[in-house]
């Protein structure tokens, strides 16, 4: 049960974090439009390999921090403040305009897609601290444990979830363009609400 829960948690979190239009999924779309699906899927393979490694590193770091309850408690207190400040920032920020990458024409890229996927995903280091904090928060729910089996399932779930989103961008971009624009315009509200909920849950856990 813990293994299945860890896999589904990883899959769901990947859907939440990768679905908004960003560097990796929009680059996959660009390559698909210019060089075809095979090249786009090679880019995705490179990106997924780095995502798998980054998630594994994040869980190993989180496991170490989880063993030191004093450090973990301090990080969770800091996390409440960070989540609250970021939530206020996104909720007070004006609605975004239609993003330029949904309107402009893409220029061909000369870098091999697989190498480009490896490079861009490596530069995108934000998922590492995110998965550190997320996995520590999930460990208190009872559905995730810092053991080899659940950690492996979580990493696989994140990788599969990210791959699923990338595939949807490649295959369905033209049909999803209007929906992506609607989501992006309201992304500040969505992110702000999620961060507020995360801050509230963490505060409740610390209190009780």
């Amino acid at each position: 049960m813990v293994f299945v829960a860890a896999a589904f948690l990883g899959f769901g979190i990947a859907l939440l974090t990768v679905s908004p239009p960003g560097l990796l999924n929009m680059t996959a779309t660009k390559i698909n439009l210019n060089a075809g699906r095979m090249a786009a899927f090679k880019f995705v393979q490179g990106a997924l390999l780095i995502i798998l490694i980054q998630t594994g590193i994040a869980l190993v770091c989180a496991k170490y921090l989880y063993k030191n309850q004093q450090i973990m408690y301090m990080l969770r207190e800091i996390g409440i403040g960070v989540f609250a400040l970021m939530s206020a920032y996104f909720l007070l920020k004006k609605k975004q305009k239609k993003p330029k990458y949904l309107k402009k024409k893409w220029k061909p890229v000369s870098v091999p897609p697989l190498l480009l996927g490896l490079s861009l995903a490596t530069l995108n280091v934000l998922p590492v601290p995110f998965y550190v904090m997320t996995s520590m928060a999930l460990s208190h729910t009872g559905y995730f444990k810092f053991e080899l089996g659940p950690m492996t399932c979580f990493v696989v779930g994140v990788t599969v979830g990210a791959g699923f989103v990338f595939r949807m961008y490649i295959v369905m971009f033209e049909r999803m363009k209007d929906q992506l624009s609607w989501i992006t315009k309201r992304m500040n509200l969505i992110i702000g609400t999620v961060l507020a909920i995360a801050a509230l849950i963490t505060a409740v856990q610390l209190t009780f």
Side-chain angles (χ1 to χ4, degrees):
M1 179 63 184
V2 176
F3 292 177
V4 175
F8 274 101
L9 286 170
F11 185 87
I13 292 171
L15 289 183
L16 177 65
T17 55
V18 183
S19 292
L23 176 64
L24 295 180
N25 45 35
M26 295 310 301
T27 302
T29 302
K30 175 179 71 173
I31 294 173
N32 176 52
L33 296 176
N34 290 330
R37 289 190 183 180
M38 289 301 296
F41 285 134
K42 287 183 180 180
F43 169 84
V44 169
Q45 288 172 4
L48 289 179
L49 176 60
I50 300 301
I51 289 173
L52 185 148
I53 295 172
Q54 287 178 334
T55 307
I57 292 173
L59 292 185
V60 171
C61 294
K63 182 179 181 180
Y64 169 77
L65 294 173
Y66 185 78
K67 291 179 179 179
N68 192 321
Q69 294 295 319
Q70 187 175 2
I71 293 178
M72 191 184 71
Y73 190 87
M74 181 181 67
L75 288 175
R76 292 171 69 191
E77 286 184 324
I78 295 173
I80 294 174
V82 172
F83 287 149
L85 289 174
M86 291 179 66
S87 175
Y89 170 79
F90 283 107
L91 290 175
L92 295 175
K93 194 175 181 181
K94 293 181 180 179
K95 184 188 295 185
Q96 292 182 342
K97 298 180 180 179
K98 188 175 182 179
K100 294 181 179 179
Y101 51 68
L102 292 178
K103 298 185 288 186
K104 71 178 183 179
K105 295 182 178 180
W106 299 100
K107 298 179 180 179
V109 292
S110 57
V111 181
L114 181 64
L115 179 60
L116 185 62
L118 291 168
S119 302
L120 292 183
T122 301
L123 293 174
N124 184 33
V125 297
L126 288 177
V128 175
F130 174 79
Y131 284 122
V132 169
M133 298 298 295
T134 303
S135 60
M136 288 196 297
L138 290 174
S139 66
H140 288 272
T141 65
Y143 294 104
F144 179 75
K145 295 181 179 179
F146 287 109
E147 299 174 356
L148 181 60
M151 290 171 66
T152 302
C153 291
F154 186 87
V155 171
V156 171
V158 168
T159 306
V160 172
F164 175 79
V165 174
F166 288 144
R167 180 176 177 81
M168 290 299 99
Y169 267 87
I170 293 171
V171 175
M172 303 180 63
F173 177 75
E174 289 299 324
R175 280 179 272 177
M176 292 170 59
K177 190 178 293 185
D178 292 336
Q179 288 83 350
L180 290 174
S181 178
W182 185 91
I183 292 172
T184 303
K185 288 179 181 179
R186 293 158 178 80
M187 188 51 60
N188 290 332
L189 176 61
I190 296 172
I191 295 175
T193 302
V194 171
L195 290 171
I197 294 173
L200 180 61
I201 292 174
T202 305
V204 170
Q205 288 177 341
L206 286 176
T207 303
F208 298 99

